[in-house]
Amino acid sequence: MNEKSCTLSLDFIRSIIAEDLKANKHGGKVITRFPPEPNGYLHIGHAKSICLNFGVALENKGVCHLRFDDTNPAKEDIEYIESIKEDICWLGFDWGEHLYFASDYFERLYEYAIQLIKKGKAYVCSLSSEEIREYRGTLKEPGKESPYKNRSIEENLDLFKRMREGEFEDGSHVLRAKIDMNSGNLNMRDPVIYRIQRATHHRTGNNWCIYPMYDFAHCISDSIEGITHSICTLEFEDHRPLYDWILEELEVDCHPQQIEFARLSLNYTVMSKRKLSELVKKNYVNGWDDPRMPTISGLRRRGYTPEAIRKFCERIGVAKSNSVVDIALLEHCIREDLNIKAKRVMAVLQPLKVIIDNYPEDQVEKLEAENNPEDLCMGSRKIPFSKVIYIEQDDFREDPPKKYYRLAPGQEVRLKHAYYIKCTKVIKNEQGEIAELHCDYDPETKGGWSKDGRKVKGTLHWVSAKHALKAEVRLYGHLFEKENPEEAEEGFDFKLNMNKNSIERLNSCLVEKSLDEAKPGNRYQFLRQGYFCVDLDSSKGNLVFNRIVSLRDSWAKIEKAQQEI
Ligand code: ATP
Ligand code: MG
């Protein structure tokens, strides 16, 4: 790569870091962190942040810490901690020995709060939370000073200690930073930095009844850990002055640089933990790992690979302004990955019986089928062919329209890896529905090629009736019907935008015999149908597949059109 293209490929965060390294700003070190709050499972938006934070650390021989931002005991849970660790590992990143918890800093955070009080930079305020909100003012109006703002340092120290000792009711007092009630930035209008909250913390139990607020805990945790670049999403831009104010007032040794980037939004889904959690808790989906969820665990169960998710995060890039990414790009990335990796097999989702009249009754031939024409190193397998087979119902029309190249009365098609067949008869049941087809095959077309150069336009997938295995196949649509499910009037319930047909279960599918050994997590291309993954519900003799994506790639089409412009 020449120097020009190298600079071009750097996003604005990587450019800042490169400049800092050049200027030896942090002693040539890069230390980042990924700071999830353990109040839900990670989603694809978090994957963007993980790839960025772990990515820039790796690229610059630095380290990335995993820090659980566990300062709100009411919503946090150990289950979330375990799932977050599992998801980060699965994505392919490693925090090594750098696993931290903001709760491990509670004692130090308390001491820093005392330090602020002693400097006259924090005070105990006894307004109610409604009053605090009211006094805060608005973007247009300045705030009003709290009547408690001028309490003496001694009184503040005494009250704050007694808050810690549990002398006061929840909500009766808070500790606030003493900054500026006239600031144009609402975050600087004497923000609350500690609150009384009697709640059992998943790590510190009942040791504490006061807890630090995010803005106070986060910058100090970054500083304690010696973070060089504190990368976060855009909504924290207005919090940066507070981040810097706290660290300047406390005169800490390490003052990390906060840099904001645009969060990922995807169409046809929601990406807030609060909303995802509501879908899980109210049973709108079957858990956090429901294959329709945009969570990492949902995508994993659906069949996404870590490589495809990392590639997606690379393709969307890192920018400073918010935008919505088309979910088709995510789907494109998994297709691209599985196109070269997944074994191609045959499965009939909606079977139609076909009897080949001129094929010997008990004969079974083992036909050669390559596993992936994109990669011949993946080898081949033998698939059984016999007198009775199944094809897809959709692949036959009694009364075909023009340019219908699949099977129809009198029409000839190729059976993939097998023979040419021609339909001779249609048998219907009492209701007049098609029950089975009779065909003749041409023994001179073994392997699917005619020696006399006769061409057919349609190639169908099939399975041998005697050998096929029954399976359930689950097809998924978008979780939401609307492209932007959150775009609605105040008070509108986003759940009303859910797609009622986001899952379709097909219970009488037939798959080729070689899938006998398929295990949960194995991925395949079902010829002409898409990419599929064996679901966790699957077991030997009771196969269940999730469709990851169909083969139709709308993103590739968009890209092609753009190139042609
Ligand atoms: P949510 O808004 O989904 O509830 P959050 O920001 O509260 O998420 P955290 O656990 O605080 O979730 O997030 C951990 C890190 O992941 C933060 O640094 C946050 O900025 C980042 N992050 C969260 N959502 C996204 C997103 N959609 N795109 C990029 N980064 C994100
Ligand atoms: Mg958060």
PDB file of all heavy atoms in Angstrom, residues 15-39:
ATOM      1  N   SER A  15      -6.973   8.490  12.422  1.00  0.00           N
ATOM      2  CA  SER A  15      -6.075   9.600  12.076  1.00  0.00           C
ATOM      3  C   SER A  15      -5.635  10.338  13.338  1.00  0.00           C
ATOM      4  O   SER A  15      -4.463  10.679  13.481  1.00  0.00           O
ATOM      5  CB  SER A  15      -6.759  10.598  11.150  1.00  0.00           C
ATOM      6  OG  SER A  15      -7.228   9.945  10.013  1.00  0.00           O
ATOM      7  N   ILE A  16      -6.585  10.583  14.250  1.00  0.00           N
ATOM      8  CA  ILE A  16      -6.234  11.272  15.503  1.00  0.00           C
ATOM      9  C   ILE A  16      -5.183  10.453  16.251  1.00  0.00           C
ATOM     10  O   ILE A  16      -4.176  10.973  16.727  1.00  0.00           O
ATOM     11  CB  ILE A  16      -7.496  11.455  16.403  1.00  0.00           C
ATOM     12  CG1 ILE A  16      -8.484  12.431  15.745  1.00  0.00           C
ATOM     13  CG2 ILE A  16      -7.108  11.927  17.802  1.00  0.00           C
ATOM     14  CD1 ILE A  16      -9.817  12.564  16.483  1.00  0.00           C
ATOM     15  N   ILE A  17      -5.423   9.145  16.310  1.00  0.00           N
ATOM     16  CA  ILE A  17      -4.494   8.283  17.051  1.00  0.00           C
ATOM     17  C   ILE A  17      -3.114   8.267  16.384  1.00  0.00           C
ATOM     18  O   ILE A  17      -2.082   8.348  17.062  1.00  0.00           O
ATOM     19  CB  ILE A  17      -5.103   6.869  17.208  1.00  0.00           C
ATOM     20  CG1 ILE A  17      -6.314   6.972  18.162  1.00  0.00           C
ATOM     21  CG2 ILE A  17      -4.068   5.872  17.736  1.00  0.00           C
ATOM     22  CD1 ILE A  17      -7.098   5.699  18.344  1.00  0.00           C
ATOM     23  N   ALA A  18      -3.114   8.241  15.054  1.00  0.00           N
ATOM     24  CA  ALA A  18      -1.832   8.244  14.339  1.00  0.00           C
ATOM     25  C   ALA A  18      -1.062   9.537  14.627  1.00  0.00           C
ATOM     26  O   ALA A  18       0.150   9.514  14.868  1.00  0.00           O
ATOM     27  CB  ALA A  18      -2.072   8.078  12.841  1.00  0.00           C
ATOM     28  N   GLU A  19      -1.796  10.655  14.646  1.00  0.00           N
ATOM     29  CA  GLU A  19      -1.153  11.945  14.948  1.00  0.00           C
ATOM     30  C   GLU A  19      -0.589  11.945  16.373  1.00  0.00           C
ATOM     31  O   GLU A  19       0.520  12.401  16.611  1.00  0.00           O
ATOM     32  CB  GLU A  19      -2.177  13.095  14.831  1.00  0.00           C
ATOM     33  CG  GLU A  19      -2.562  13.443  13.399  1.00  0.00           C
ATOM     34  CD  GLU A  19      -1.385  13.932  12.584  1.00  0.00           C
ATOM     35  OE1 GLU A  19      -0.634  14.783  13.098  1.00  0.00           O
ATOM     36  OE2 GLU A  19      -1.188  13.440  11.453  1.00  0.00           O
ATOM     37  N   ASP A  20      -1.396  11.436  17.306  1.00  0.00           N
ATOM     38  CA  ASP A  20      -0.960  11.396  18.712  1.00  0.00           C
ATOM     39  C   ASP A  20       0.303  10.552  18.862  1.00  0.00           C
ATOM     40  O   ASP A  20       1.206  10.895  19.620  1.00  0.00           O
ATOM     41  CB  ASP A  20      -2.076  10.827  19.602  1.00  0.00           C
ATOM     42  CG  ASP A  20      -3.220  11.827  19.773  1.00  0.00           C
ATOM     43  OD1 ASP A  20      -3.056  12.988  19.346  1.00  0.00           O
ATOM     44  OD2 ASP A  20      -4.270  11.429  20.322  1.00  0.00           O
ATOM     45  N   LEU A  21       0.345   9.447  18.121  1.00  0.00           N
ATOM     46  CA  LEU A  21       1.515   8.570  18.211  1.00  0.00           C
ATOM     47  C   LEU A  21       2.742   9.289  17.653  1.00  0.00           C
ATOM     48  O   LEU A  21       3.819   9.210  18.222  1.00  0.00           O
ATOM     49  CB  LEU A  21       1.264   7.270  17.444  1.00  0.00           C
ATOM     50  CG  LEU A  21       0.377   6.235  18.166  1.00  0.00           C
ATOM     51  CD1 LEU A  21       0.087   5.059  17.255  1.00  0.00           C
ATOM     52  CD2 LEU A  21       1.033   5.759  19.463  1.00  0.00           C
ATOM     53  N   LYS A  22       2.501   9.996  16.546  1.00  0.00           N
ATOM     54  CA  LYS A  22       3.605  10.735  15.926  1.00  0.00           C
ATOM     55  C   LYS A  22       4.159  11.766  16.906  1.00  0.00           C
ATOM     56  O   LYS A  22       5.354  11.975  17.015  1.00  0.00           O
ATOM     57  CB  LYS A  22       3.088  11.430  14.660  1.00  0.00           C
ATOM     58  CG  LYS A  22       3.938  11.108  13.439  1.00  0.00           C
ATOM     59  CD  LYS A  22       3.734  12.132  12.356  1.00  0.00           C
ATOM     60  CE  LYS A  22       2.875  11.701  11.222  1.00  0.00           C
ATOM     61  NZ  LYS A  22       2.337  12.755  10.412  1.00  0.00           N
ATOM     62  N   ALA A  23       3.239  12.422  17.639  1.00  0.00           N
ATOM     63  CA  ALA A  23       3.650  13.477  18.562  1.00  0.00           C
ATOM     64  C   ALA A  23       4.049  12.904  19.926  1.00  0.00           C
ATOM     65  O   ALA A  23       4.308  13.652  20.869  1.00  0.00           O
ATOM     66  CB  ALA A  23       2.509  14.472  18.729  1.00  0.00           C
ATOM     67  N   ASN A  24       4.051  11.592  20.019  1.00  0.00           N
ATOM     68  CA  ASN A  24       4.382  10.891  21.272  1.00  0.00           C
ATOM     69  C   ASN A  24       3.522  11.378  22.447  1.00  0.00           C
ATOM     70  O   ASN A  24       3.980  11.515  23.574  1.00  0.00           O
ATOM     71  CB  ASN A  24       5.874  11.091  21.575  1.00  0.00           C
ATOM     72  CG  ASN A  24       6.392  10.002  22.503  1.00  0.00           C
ATOM     73  OD1 ASN A  24       5.862   8.877  22.471  1.00  0.00           O
ATOM     74  ND2 ASN A  24       7.355  10.316  23.333  1.00  0.00           N
ATOM     75  N   LYS A  25       2.233  11.630  22.131  1.00  0.00           N
ATOM     76  CA  LYS A  25       1.353  12.272  23.114  1.00  0.00           C
ATOM     77  C   LYS A  25       1.151  11.465  24.406  1.00  0.00           C
ATOM     78  O   LYS A  25       1.185  12.011  25.489  1.00  0.00           O
ATOM     79  CB  LYS A  25       0.000  12.568  22.459  1.00  0.00           C
ATOM     80  CG  LYS A  25      -0.877  13.464  23.297  1.00  0.00           C
ATOM     81  CD  LYS A  25      -2.018  14.031  22.491  1.00  0.00           C
ATOM     82  CE  LYS A  25      -3.125  14.553  23.379  1.00  0.00           C
ATOM     83  NZ  LYS A  25      -4.352  14.798  22.646  1.00  0.00           N
ATOM     84  N   HIS A  26       0.929  10.226  24.303  1.00  0.00           N
ATOM     85  CA  HIS A  26       0.702   9.426  25.526  1.00  0.00           C
ATOM     86  C   HIS A  26       1.869   8.474  25.731  1.00  0.00           C
ATOM     87  O   HIS A  26       1.681   7.309  26.070  1.00  0.00           O
ATOM     88  CB  HIS A  26      -0.599   8.633  25.422  1.00  0.00           C
ATOM     89  CG  HIS A  26      -1.796   9.490  25.135  1.00  0.00           C
ATOM     90  ND1 HIS A  26      -2.472  10.172  26.117  1.00  0.00           N
ATOM     91  CD2 HIS A  26      -2.420   9.796  23.967  1.00  0.00           C
ATOM     92  CE1 HIS A  26      -3.464  10.860  25.574  1.00  0.00           C
ATOM     93  NE2 HIS A  26      -3.456  10.648  24.266  1.00  0.00           N
ATOM     94  N   GLY A  27       3.047   8.971  25.475  1.00  0.00           N
ATOM     95  CA  GLY A  27       4.229   8.121  25.608  1.00  0.00           C
ATOM     96  C   GLY A  27       4.197   6.993  24.590  1.00  0.00           C
ATOM     97  O   GLY A  27       4.700   5.894  24.850  1.00  0.00           O
ATOM     98  N   GLY A  28       3.544   7.249  23.469  1.00  0.00           N
ATOM     99  CA  GLY A  28       3.512   6.249  22.388  1.00  0.00           C
ATOM    100  C   GLY A  28       2.564   5.090  22.662  1.00  0.00           C
ATOM    101  O   GLY A  28       2.614   4.069  21.988  1.00  0.00           O
ATOM    102  N   LYS A  29       1.682   5.277  23.656  1.00  0.00           N
ATOM    103  CA  LYS A  29       0.783   4.162  23.994  1.00  0.00           C
ATOM    104  C   LYS A  29      -0.638   4.379  23.463  1.00  0.00           C
ATOM    105  O   LYS A  29      -1.091   5.511  23.341  1.00  0.00           O
ATOM    106  CB  LYS A  29       0.707   4.011  25.519  1.00  0.00           C
ATOM    107  CG  LYS A  29       1.893   3.254  26.094  1.00  0.00           C
ATOM    108  CD  LYS A  29       1.663   2.879  27.536  1.00  0.00           C
ATOM    109  CE  LYS A  29       1.515   4.095  28.419  1.00  0.00           C
ATOM    110  NZ  LYS A  29       1.511   3.846  29.837  1.00  0.00           N
ATOM    111  N   VAL A  30      -1.298   3.280  23.178  1.00  0.00           N
ATOM    112  CA  VAL A  30      -2.720   3.346  22.852  1.00  0.00           C
ATOM    113  C   VAL A  30      -3.449   2.388  23.790  1.00  0.00           C
ATOM    114  O   VAL A  30      -3.209   1.180  23.766  1.00  0.00           O
ATOM    115  CB  VAL A  30      -2.993   2.957  21.383  1.00  0.00           C
ATOM    116  CG1 VAL A  30      -4.495   2.907  21.112  1.00  0.00           C
ATOM    117  CG2 VAL A  30      -2.329   3.948  20.429  1.00  0.00           C
ATOM    118  N   ILE A  31      -4.276   2.943  24.648  1.00  0.00           N
ATOM    119  CA  ILE A  31      -5.082   2.099  25.545  1.00  0.00           C
ATOM    120  C   ILE A  31      -6.540   2.542  25.401  1.00  0.00           C
ATOM    121  O   ILE A  31      -6.888   3.691  25.713  1.00  0.00           O
ATOM    122  CB  ILE A  31      -4.623   2.217  27.015  1.00  0.00           C
ATOM    123  CG1 ILE A  31      -3.114   1.912  27.125  1.00  0.00           C
ATOM    124  CG2 ILE A  31      -5.422   1.268  27.906  1.00  0.00           C
ATOM    125  CD1 ILE A  31      -2.551   2.095  28.525  1.00  0.00           C
ATOM    126  N   THR A  32      -7.362   1.648  24.905  1.00  0.00           N
ATOM    127  CA  THR A  32      -8.782   1.954  24.731  1.00  0.00           C
ATOM    128  C   THR A  32      -9.583   1.059  25.677  1.00  0.00           C
ATOM    129  O   THR A  32      -9.011   0.222  26.385  1.00  0.00           O
ATOM    130  CB  THR A  32      -9.218   1.678  23.280  1.00  0.00           C
ATOM    131  OG1 THR A  32      -8.894   0.322  22.978  1.00  0.00           O
ATOM    132  CG2 THR A  32      -8.518   2.595  22.306  1.00  0.00           C
ATOM    133  N   ARG A  33     -10.886   1.247  25.663  1.00  0.00           N
ATOM    134  CA  ARG A  33     -11.722   0.369  26.486  1.00  0.00           C
ATOM    135  C   ARG A  33     -13.079   0.215  25.839  1.00  0.00           C
ATOM    136  O   ARG A  33     -13.537   1.103  25.120  1.00  0.00           O
ATOM    137  CB  ARG A  33     -11.854   0.895  27.925  1.00  0.00           C
ATOM    138  CG  ARG A  33     -12.942   1.913  28.143  1.00  0.00           C
ATOM    139  CD  ARG A  33     -12.594   3.275  27.579  1.00  0.00           C
ATOM    140  NE  ARG A  33     -13.715   4.158  27.586  1.00  0.00           N
ATOM    141  CZ  ARG A  33     -14.577   4.314  26.576  1.00  0.00           C
ATOM    142  NH1 ARG A  33     -14.448   3.645  25.460  1.00  0.00           N
ATOM    143  NH2 ARG A  33     -15.590   5.132  26.680  1.00  0.00           N
ATOM    144  N   PHE A  34     -13.698  -0.939  26.085  1.00  0.00           N
ATOM    145  CA  PHE A  34     -15.096  -1.113  25.706  1.00  0.00           C
ATOM    146  C   PHE A  34     -15.868  -1.190  27.022  1.00  0.00           C
ATOM    147  O   PHE A  34     -15.618  -2.085  27.827  1.00  0.00           O
ATOM    148  CB  PHE A  34     -15.267  -2.393  24.866  1.00  0.00           C
ATOM    149  CG  PHE A  34     -16.703  -2.676  24.558  1.00  0.00           C
ATOM    150  CD1 PHE A  34     -17.441  -1.795  23.776  1.00  0.00           C
ATOM    151  CD2 PHE A  34     -17.339  -3.799  25.078  1.00  0.00           C
ATOM    152  CE1 PHE A  34     -18.790  -2.031  23.525  1.00  0.00           C
ATOM    153  CE2 PHE A  34     -18.674  -4.046  24.817  1.00  0.00           C
ATOM    154  CZ  PHE A  34     -19.397  -3.164  24.041  1.00  0.00           C
ATOM    155  N   PRO A  35     -16.786  -0.240  27.260  1.00  0.00           N
ATOM    156  CA  PRO A  35     -17.410  -0.126  28.586  1.00  0.00           C
ATOM    157  C   PRO A  35     -18.910  -0.441  28.633  1.00  0.00           C
ATOM    158  O   PRO A  35     -19.719   0.452  28.865  1.00  0.00           O
ATOM    159  CB  PRO A  35     -17.196   1.352  28.892  1.00  0.00           C
ATOM    160  CG  PRO A  35     -17.338   2.011  27.529  1.00  0.00           C
ATOM    161  CD  PRO A  35     -17.010   0.993  26.473  1.00  0.00           C
ATOM    162  N   PRO A  36     -19.312  -1.678  28.417  1.00  0.00           N
ATOM    163  CA  PRO A  36     -20.754  -1.957  28.424  1.00  0.00           C
ATOM    164  C   PRO A  36     -21.365  -1.892  29.820  1.00  0.00           C
ATOM    165  O   PRO A  36     -20.705  -2.219  30.802  1.00  0.00           O
ATOM    166  CB  PRO A  36     -20.826  -3.396  27.906  1.00  0.00           C
ATOM    167  CG  PRO A  36     -19.539  -4.015  28.332  1.00  0.00           C
ATOM    168  CD  PRO A  36     -18.524  -2.916  28.231  1.00  0.00           C
ATOM    169  N   GLU A  37     -22.611  -1.472  29.840  1.00  0.00           N
ATOM    170  CA  GLU A  37     -23.351  -1.567  31.089  1.00  0.00           C
ATOM    171  C   GLU A  37     -24.015  -2.941  31.078  1.00  0.00           C
ATOM    172  O   GLU A  37     -24.705  -3.281  30.108  1.00  0.00           O
ATOM    173  CB  GLU A  37     -24.413  -0.458  31.128  1.00  0.00           C
ATOM    174  CG  GLU A  37     -25.077  -0.396  32.465  1.00  0.00           C
ATOM    175  CD  GLU A  37     -26.177   0.653  32.560  1.00  0.00           C
ATOM    176  OE1 GLU A  37     -26.287   1.508  31.669  1.00  0.00           O
ATOM    177  OE2 GLU A  37     -26.930   0.580  33.548  1.00  0.00           O
ATOM    178  N   PRO A  38     -23.818  -3.750  32.119  1.00  0.00           N
ATOM    179  CA  PRO A  38     -24.378  -5.121  32.065  1.00  0.00           C
ATOM    180  C   PRO A  38     -25.877  -5.151  32.349  1.00  0.00           C
ATOM    181  O   PRO A  38     -26.329  -5.728  33.331  1.00  0.00           O
ATOM    182  CB  PRO A  38     -23.573  -5.874  33.128  1.00  0.00           C
ATOM    183  CG  PRO A  38     -23.089  -4.826  34.068  1.00  0.00           C
ATOM    184  CD  PRO A  38     -22.990  -3.537  33.313  1.00  0.00           C
ATOM    185  N   ASN A  39     -26.638  -4.497  31.473  1.00  0.00           N
ATOM    186  CA  ASN A  39     -28.087  -4.459  31.666  1.00  0.00           C
ATOM    187  C   ASN A  39     -28.827  -5.043  30.465  1.00  0.00           C
ATOM    188  O   ASN A  39     -29.990  -4.750  30.229  1.00  0.00           O
ATOM    189  CB  ASN A  39     -28.549  -3.026  31.962  1.00  0.00           C
ATOM    190  CG  ASN A  39     -28.213  -2.072  30.817  1.00  0.00           C
ATOM    191  OD1 ASN A  39     -27.535  -2.460  29.877  1.00  0.00           O
ATOM    192  ND2 ASN A  39     -28.697  -0.853  30.887  1.00  0.00           N
TER     193      ASN A  39
END
